[in-house]
Every structure is written in C-alpha cells, then in structure tokens.
Amino acid sequence: MIRTYKCKQMRKHEELEAKDNTSTVTEFVLIGFSDLPNLQGFLFAVFSVLYIIILIGNFFIIIIISMEQALQKPMYFFLANFSSLEICYVSVTIPRILFNIGTQNRSISLMSCAIQMSFFLVFGTTESLLLAVMSYDRYVAICHPLLYPLVMNPSKCTQLAVGSWLGGILVQIGQTWQIFSMHFCNSNKINHFFCDIPPILKLACGDTSVHELSVYVVVMVVDALPFILVLTSYSKIIVTILRLPTATGRAKAFSTCSSHLLVVLLFYGSATITYLRPKSMHSPGTDKLLSLFYTIVTPMFNPLIYSLRNKEVISALRKLLF
C-alpha cells in the first residue's frame, strides 16, 4: 500500500514538473521550404507565377460568366461561385508563403496561425460542399432533363450556393478553437508552409487522441460524405450516358462531366489522404506534397479544365477578347 501511494505521488510530481517545463507558446515558426536554401529565389518566382495564374484564370471565368448572356445557367452560376472560392482559398496560403520566402521571417503569432487555419478549413469545407452541389446539378441535368428547369430554379441555386458558403463556418471555427485550446510543448516549429491541422497536432502536449478523433469525424462529415454523394451522382450519370442512343450525345455528356470529375478526384483524394491518415503515418515531406495538390494545383487547373473543355466558355471568351 505504502509503495503504491509513493508511486502515485511520484507520478503526480512528474506531471506537475512536465506542466512547469511546458513553455507557453506565443508564436510559431513555419519551416516551409527553408530546407532548400539555394532554391528560395526560384520558389518565390514559382509561387508568384502560380498565384497570378490562379487569380487571372478564375477572375476571367467570373467576368465571362457575368457578361455573357448565353452562360446564365445554373452550371455556370455554380462555376462562378467556385472560381470566387478558389481566389479566396489560395489567398489564405500563398501570400503567406511569399512573405516567408521573401523576408525570410518565418514566425507567425498564435492568433494569426489560428485565423489562417480557420479560414483555410472554412473555405476547404465550402469547396467540398460546392463540388457536391455541382455534381447534383449535373445529375439533374443529365438524368432528369425535363425536370431540370423546375428543380434548379434561381431560388434553389442561390440557396444551395449560400448553404455551401455557410455550411462549414460553425464546425470549422469550433474545431480551430478546440485545437488551439491545447497546450503546446517546447517546440514551436511547424514543419509545413501554412498552419494546417496535422503539423499543429504534432506540437501538442500529452494525449491528442480525442482531438484526432474529432478531426476524423469532421472530415467524414464535410469531406468523405460529400465525396460519396459525388460518386453516387456520377455513377448514375454514367449509367444514363451509356443509355443515350447517339455517340454524339454520349461524347457531349462525358465532356461536360469529365472536367468536373477530374477536379473532384484531385481535391478529395489529396485532402482525404492528408486528414484521415493516423498521426504516426504523417511525415513532413508527404504532408507538404499532398497539401500542394489541394491548396495550389486544384485551384490552378480549375479554370484551365473548365474553359478548355467547354465550347460555350471558349466561345464567350473569344467574344469578350475580340
């Protein structure tokens, strides 16, 4: 009994000592790409060019859709929303990357880190929901064309778009608050190029299993569930397309949907692998590579995929330019 009591006392003393040794972190250091010192100028140029391409490409889509009467359809209404979202989405991460590389000042305050993560998660959730809405739009257009004007009326489209934009705000702000309410140990170095969940959790003290579980639940709701809805919609779309009597009709339908499906696979695939992997399987190099896909590659390819594979958009672009 005496030995057990002494063990308990020692354990309590060790816990208190650990708490005392835990420094209060007031700022983090984003390691980013500092392990490539000879490529800093090259990386700054690459990210600058990518950011300009993303902004110009998505702004062009918004302008074309707003000015061309022939594009005043639900599909293009959602595409304009998607392009607006991509501009917001990349503006959360790339300017910070450029600032860190350009100034070589990689520190970021606790509050700034929390704000960046919060906006990033909210916009990521919005993109996930909006992709699901766009797949539903294509499902109704192809599988139920006669009901399409009735189902996808302007009021319904506005409600779906607003719901997508607002859908993740409370959940993701709550998740950000939960993560940043944890204590962080002596290390304040984030081995990433922005404040994302996996590298932040690595810096937390003690057991983070509850927080990891909450991340899995949120990802299942706002990422995996919409992905399942997208796959369900496209499985029905493919079945309907294969039943079309003419090869021309099948080719047109496939062309319309394949671009959307490509964006979906790029975004959901990389994001799901990043957030649903166990903490023990995370490595800085893999996390950075996967993050580049859903933070930069997808927004860059969005305007290229939708414009180059869509005759109506190309026609409107020619009309606008010439």
Side-chain angles (χ1 to χ4, degrees):
M1 290 289 288
I2 295 172
R3 186 178 293 176
T4 306
Y5 176 77
K6 283 183 177 178
C7 288
K8 286 182 178 177
Q9 289 296 103
M10 286 177 67
R11 196 177 296 117
K12 283 183 180 178
H13 178 71
E14 286 172 0
E15 287 176 2
L16 289 171
E17 204 173 53
K19 284 183 180 178
D20 290 338
N21 289 335
T22 302
S23 62
T24 304
V25 174
T26 57
E27 68 174 20
F28 291 111
V29 177
L30 289 165
I31 301 298
F33 303 99
S34 60
D35 54 342
L36 303 169
N38 297 328
L39 296 176
Q40 295 299 293
F42 174 74
L43 289 172
F44 185 86
V46 168
F47 282 114
S48 299
V49 170
L50 291 177
Y51 190 44
I52 292 168
I53 289 172
I54 292 168
L55 292 181
I56 292 175
N58 284 289
F59 269 124
F60 251 114
I61 286 182
I62 296 168
I63 293 168
I64 290 165
I65 291 172
S66 61
M67 294 183 65
E68 181 55 50
Q69 191 62 36
L71 301 182
Q72 303 305 306
K73 301 173 183 177
M75 180 175 77
Y76 298 109
F77 169 75
F78 292 126
L79 180 55
N81 270 271
F82 193 62
S83 292
S84 303
L85 174 62
E86 297 288 43
I87 292 168
C88 299
Y89 190 56
V90 297
S91 296
V92 175
T93 55
I94 297 184
R96 185 76 208 191
I97 295 171
L98 294 174
F99 174 81
N100 290 347
I101 296 174
T103 63
Q104 291 298 304
N105 177 13
R106 304 181 186 279
S107 61
I108 181 170
S109 68
L110 196 73
M111 180 59 71
S112 297
C113 191
I115 290 170
Q116 185 187 44
M117 180 188 285
S118 180
F119 275 106
F120 177 76
L121 293 176
V122 167
F123 289 139
T125 300
T126 302
E127 183 159 345
S128 178
L129 297 175
L130 199 55
L131 284 169
V133 167
M134 292 169 76
S135 70
Y136 174 70
D137 171 71
R138 291 300 82 210
Y139 162 72
V140 178
I142 293 172
C143 300
H144 304 283
L146 297 178
L147 294 174
Y148 185 68
L150 183 65
V151 175
M152 301 305 291
N153 58 68
S155 176
K156 182 71 170 289
C157 291
T158 303
Q159 289 172 7
L160 289 170
V162 171
S164 298
W165 279 92
L166 301 179
I169 290 179
L170 291 177
V171 174
Q172 297 297 9
I173 289 177
Q175 181 162 257
T176 304
W177 177 83
Q178 184 188 36
I179 289 171
F180 279 88
S181 65
M182 295 186 296
H183 292 287
F184 297 100
C185 295
N186 293 323
S187 175
N188 67 338
K189 294 181 179 178
I190 302 173
N191 201 344
H192 212 315
F193 53 85
F194 72 100
C195 293
D196 203 3
I197 294 175
I200 292 289
L201 283 178
K202 283 186 177 181
L203 304 181
C205 302
D207 184 19
T208 60
S209 56
V210 175
H211 297 281
E212 288 179 56
L213 181 61
S214 71
V215 171
Y216 292 150
V217 171
V218 171
V219 170
M220 290 299 293
V221 172
V222 303
D223 194 13
L225 188 59
F227 185 45
I228 291 169
L229 293 174
V230 169
L231 292 180
T232 303
S233 297
Y234 274 99
S235 62
K236 293 182 178 181
I237 288 170
I238 290 169
V239 170
T240 303
I241 289 173
L242 293 174
R243 289 176 181 169
L244 292 175
T246 62
T248 306
R250 287 196 294 270
K252 186 178 179 182
F254 268 122
S255 176
T256 304
C257 297
S258 60
S259 55
H260 180 207
L261 195 55
L262 182 59
V263 174
V264 164
L265 291 174
L266 275 172
F267 175 77
Y268 283 116
S270 54
T272 303
I273 294 170
T274 298
Y275 292 106
L276 291 185
R277 281 182 303 155
K279 185 180 176 181
S280 58
M281 293 179 65
H282 283 275
S283 67
T286 307
D287 286 348
K288 289 177 190 177
L289 183 62
L290 288 170
S291 298
L292 284 173
F293 272 97
Y294 61 82
T295 58
I296 297 175
V297 176
T298 303
M300 182 181 67
F301 279 116
N302 169 44
L304 295 174
I305 289 170
Y306 279 108
S307 59
L308 294 177
R309 295 181 63 84
N310 192 303
K311 292 180 180 178
E312 288 180 314
V313 173
I314 291 173
S315 175
L317 179 60
R318 285 175 180 166
K319 200 173 178 182
L320 179 68
L321 294 176
F322 303 111

